[in-house]
Amino acid sequence: MTTEAAARRMPGAPCWVSLLAHSLPATQEFYGALFGWEFRPGPQHFGPYARAFLDGLEVAGVGELAADRHLPVSWTTYLASDDADVTAEQIRACGGTVGVGPLDADDAGRMAIGSDPQGAIFGVWQGRTMLGTALSGEPGTPVWNELVTQETESVAPFYEHVFGFEREAAVSADLDYLTLHIKGKPVAGIHGVGGALPRDRGPHWMTYFAVSDTDAATRRVTELGGRVLRPARDSAHGRLATVADSEGAVFTVLQRH
């Protein structure tokens, strides 16, 4: 396990990402072709669910929505917890909502799905036999998780109180960005985008996946029936692009410097 993956398992840190899709086979085909993932069955507590592996290590989960559930298809970031029930109480006490759970995911762990006071959805994961992403930072694995919201100040205290984050503001006067730290390590970000927040999505957590070549990855996304929402561009952290898979789930690919 990489040190990066180990850091992701500290309480509060993003530790897992999971996608609920309409068609499990089509979604597996898309991500298998894009990232080289292989799939094995996972806990079936919500219906069909598979874990994605790269080089034999768990990197993400993909589940299938029940046919009567017309939820938007999206990636969910899970934050690690030592006690999902206590975290659920803290979410409610700090103005958030718990929509699912806490409940056991077989013997893998205990989970809940919550939302912050602005409505951004995230998961809580108390790992047992499955602690979380075993490989991160390598091409085809999660590399960063970021809350995209209107402005950071209104929601940062919620995450500080519930998950124990320490925040560090961006030095740029025209950028509303906080890096969230746990024990001195940067583990996630909050990006206030003001009026640029997509009206159809509202505040949301964005999953970043590492790739070896962002431009090649965006071409592959299109070939596989996905879309490029924000074309490849250079940033302080590398070259990135925001894309959607064949069912519309949005994520960002990042080729690090």
Side-chain angles (χ1 to χ4, degrees):
M1 184 174 68
T2 63
T3 53
E4 204 162 334
R8 294 168 71 87
R9 300 188 178 175
M10 294 186 293
C15 63
W16 185 247
V17 291
S18 190
L19 173 67
L20 278 179
H22 294 302
S23 167
L24 196 55
T27 300
Q28 289 177 332
E29 193 174 318
F30 178 92
Y31 289 98
L34 181 63
F35 291 140
W37 290 353
E38 296 172 348
F39 295 90
R40 301 176 201 166
Q44 309 289 311
H45 54 291
F46 284 140
Y49 191 82
R51 290 190 191 139
F53 290 76
L54 195 64
D55 299 328
L57 296 169
E58 294 173 292
V59 293
V62 180
E64 190 168 84
L65 283 163
D68 59 347
R69 294 187 72 185
H70 302 291
L71 295 171
V73 174
S74 64
W75 281 98
T76 300
T77 297
Y78 281 76
L79 305 175
S81 170
D82 284 337
D83 188 323
D85 294 81
V86 169
T87 301
E89 287 303 316
Q90 290 171 328
I91 289 168
R92 292 190 190 98
C94 292
T97 304
V98 178
V100 176
L103 53 86
D104 289 325
D106 299 346
D107 60 348
R110 192 161 172 79
M111 56 81 68
I113 304 283
S115 58
D116 68 26
Q118 305 297 320
I121 293 170
F122 59 89
V124 173
W125 182 254
Q126 176 190 344
R128 290 187 187 130
T129 60
M130 202 284 286
L131 294 175
T133 305
L135 183 66
S136 63
E138 303 292 321
T141 72
V143 68
W144 189 243
N145 292 266
E146 184 174 282
L147 173 63
V148 182
T149 191
Q150 280 188 302
E151 46 96 22
T152 60
E153 196 49 52
S154 60
V155 77
F158 169 84
Y159 289 96
E160 287 177 313
H161 292 314
V162 176
F163 294 103
F165 293 124
E166 304 125 26
R167 62 167 116 168
E168 179 186 317
V171 289
S172 167
D174 58 352
L175 179 65
D176 182 15
Y177 195 94
L178 298 176
T179 303
L180 302 176
H181 292 76
I182 291 177
K183 295 181 181 172
K185 293 181 185 293
V187 294
I190 303 181
H191 190 189
V193 297
L197 191 68
R199 286 176 187 274
D200 57 337
R201 297 193 67 206
H204 58 276
W205 277 87
M206 174 76 78
T207 301
Y208 286 65
F209 291 101
V211 292
S212 54
D213 183 329
T214 295
D215 296 86
T218 56
R219 286 194 296 273
R220 192 77 178 113
V221 163
T222 307
E223 288 166 8
L224 295 167
R227 291 177 297 133
V228 177
L229 304 179
R230 287 192 69 192
R233 58 205 183 273
D234 292 311
S235 75
H237 301 288
R239 190 159 173 79
L240 57 129
T242 305
V243 299
D245 69 16
S246 51
E247 286 196 359
V250 178
F251 58 99
T252 296
V253 291
L254 172 65
Q255 173 189 346
R256 295 206 282 192
H257 293 313

PDB file of all heavy atoms in Angstrom, residues 9 11 80-84 87 125-126:
ATOM      1  N   ARG A   9      -6.700   6.814   4.989  1.00  0.00           N
ATOM      2  CA  ARG A   9      -7.523   6.058   5.938  1.00  0.00           C
ATOM      3  C   ARG A   9      -7.586   6.704   7.312  1.00  0.00           C
ATOM      4  O   ARG A   9      -8.217   6.175   8.201  1.00  0.00           O
ATOM      5  CB  ARG A   9      -6.979   4.645   6.036  1.00  0.00           C
ATOM      6  CG  ARG A   9      -7.051   3.997   4.654  1.00  0.00           C
ATOM      7  CD  ARG A   9      -6.717   2.577   4.670  1.00  0.00           C
ATOM      8  NE  ARG A   9      -6.856   2.037   3.318  1.00  0.00           N
ATOM      9  CZ  ARG A   9      -6.534   0.815   3.016  1.00  0.00           C
ATOM     10  NH1 ARG A   9      -6.054   0.011   3.925  1.00  0.00           N
ATOM     11  NH2 ARG A   9      -6.674   0.378   1.788  1.00  0.00           N
ATOM     12  N   PRO A  11      -9.032   8.960  10.152  1.00  0.00           N
ATOM     13  CA  PRO A  11     -10.405   9.448  10.334  1.00  0.00           C
ATOM     14  C   PRO A  11     -10.572  10.851   9.770  1.00  0.00           C
ATOM     15  O   PRO A  11      -9.768  11.741  10.035  1.00  0.00           O
ATOM     16  CB  PRO A  11     -10.573   9.427  11.860  1.00  0.00           C
ATOM     17  CG  PRO A  11      -9.654   8.339  12.316  1.00  0.00           C
ATOM     18  CD  PRO A  11      -8.462   8.407  11.392  1.00  0.00           C
ATOM     19  N   ALA A  80     -13.469   8.759   5.979  1.00  0.00           N
ATOM     20  CA  ALA A  80     -13.232   7.702   6.967  1.00  0.00           C
ATOM     21  C   ALA A  80     -13.731   8.111   8.351  1.00  0.00           C
ATOM     22  O   ALA A  80     -13.667   9.288   8.732  1.00  0.00           O
ATOM     23  CB  ALA A  80     -11.743   7.374   7.021  1.00  0.00           C
ATOM     24  N   SER A  81     -14.219   7.130   9.090  1.00  0.00           N
ATOM     25  CA  SER A  81     -14.704   7.363  10.445  1.00  0.00           C
ATOM     26  C   SER A  81     -14.341   6.172  11.331  1.00  0.00           C
ATOM     27  O   SER A  81     -14.357   5.028  10.867  1.00  0.00           O
ATOM     28  CB  SER A  81     -16.227   7.547  10.431  1.00  0.00           C
ATOM     29  OG  SER A  81     -16.754   7.542  11.740  1.00  0.00           O
ATOM     30  N   ASP A  82     -14.032   6.439  12.580  1.00  0.00           N
ATOM     31  CA  ASP A  82     -13.828   5.353  13.542  1.00  0.00           C
ATOM     32  C   ASP A  82     -15.155   4.808  14.041  1.00  0.00           C
ATOM     33  O   ASP A  82     -15.226   3.693  14.549  1.00  0.00           O
ATOM     34  CB  ASP A  82     -13.011   5.847  14.747  1.00  0.00           C
ATOM     35  CG  ASP A  82     -11.529   5.994  14.424  1.00  0.00           C
ATOM     36  OD1 ASP A  82     -11.068   5.336  13.469  1.00  0.00           O
ATOM     37  OD2 ASP A  82     -10.840   6.764  15.119  1.00  0.00           O
ATOM     38  N   ASP A  83     -16.217   5.622  13.929  1.00  0.00           N
ATOM     39  CA  ASP A  83     -17.536   5.230  14.430  1.00  0.00           C
ATOM     40  C   ASP A  83     -18.594   5.955  13.600  1.00  0.00           C
ATOM     41  O   ASP A  83     -18.861   7.141  13.807  1.00  0.00           O
ATOM     42  CB  ASP A  83     -17.668   5.601  15.915  1.00  0.00           C
ATOM     43  CG  ASP A  83     -18.936   5.038  16.548  1.00  0.00           C
ATOM     44  OD1 ASP A  83     -19.976   4.996  15.862  1.00  0.00           O
ATOM     45  OD2 ASP A  83     -18.882   4.652  17.733  1.00  0.00           O
ATOM     46  N   ALA A  84     -19.169   5.254  12.640  1.00  0.00           N
ATOM     47  CA  ALA A  84     -20.126   5.870  11.706  1.00  0.00           C
ATOM     48  C   ALA A  84     -21.357   6.409  12.428  1.00  0.00           C
ATOM     49  O   ALA A  84     -21.928   7.424  12.011  1.00  0.00           O
ATOM     50  CB  ALA A  84     -20.541   4.855  10.639  1.00  0.00           C
ATOM     51  N   THR A  87     -20.388   9.743  13.980  1.00  0.00           N
ATOM     52  CA  THR A  87     -20.246  10.724  12.901  1.00  0.00           C
ATOM     53  C   THR A  87     -21.613  11.163  12.382  1.00  0.00           C
ATOM     54  O   THR A  87     -21.833  12.355  12.122  1.00  0.00           O
ATOM     55  CB  THR A  87     -19.392  10.159  11.753  1.00  0.00           C
ATOM     56  OG1 THR A  87     -18.101   9.818  12.265  1.00  0.00           O
ATOM     57  CG2 THR A  87     -19.218  11.167  10.632  1.00  0.00           C
ATOM     58  N   TRP A 125     -17.478   6.164   5.967  1.00  0.00           N
ATOM     59  CA  TRP A 125     -17.080   4.751   5.943  1.00  0.00           C
ATOM     60  C   TRP A 125     -16.277   4.395   7.194  1.00  0.00           C
ATOM     61  O   TRP A 125     -15.243   4.980   7.473  1.00  0.00           O
ATOM     62  CB  TRP A 125     -16.240   4.451   4.702  1.00  0.00           C
ATOM     63  CG  TRP A 125     -15.855   2.999   4.626  1.00  0.00           C
ATOM     64  CD1 TRP A 125     -14.634   2.443   4.857  1.00  0.00           C
ATOM     65  CD2 TRP A 125     -16.735   1.904   4.331  1.00  0.00           C
ATOM     66  NE1 TRP A 125     -14.686   1.079   4.713  1.00  0.00           N
ATOM     67  CE2 TRP A 125     -15.963   0.711   4.394  1.00  0.00           C
ATOM     68  CE3 TRP A 125     -18.099   1.809   4.012  1.00  0.00           C
ATOM     69  CZ2 TRP A 125     -16.508  -0.547   4.149  1.00  0.00           C
ATOM     70  CZ3 TRP A 125     -18.626   0.553   3.770  1.00  0.00           C
ATOM     71  CH2 TRP A 125     -17.845  -0.600   3.833  1.00  0.00           C
ATOM     72  N   GLN A 126     -16.805   3.436   7.943  1.00  0.00           N
ATOM     73  CA  GLN A 126     -16.107   2.858   9.097  1.00  0.00           C
ATOM     74  C   GLN A 126     -15.644   1.473   8.652  1.00  0.00           C
ATOM     75  O   GLN A 126     -16.425   0.533   8.588  1.00  0.00           O
ATOM     76  CB  GLN A 126     -17.053   2.772  10.292  1.00  0.00           C
ATOM     77  CG  GLN A 126     -16.466   2.097  11.527  1.00  0.00           C
ATOM     78  CD  GLN A 126     -17.531   1.834  12.585  1.00  0.00           C
ATOM     79  OE1 GLN A 126     -18.624   2.395  12.541  1.00  0.00           O
ATOM     80  NE2 GLN A 126     -17.214   0.971  13.532  1.00  0.00           N
TER      81      GLN A 126
END
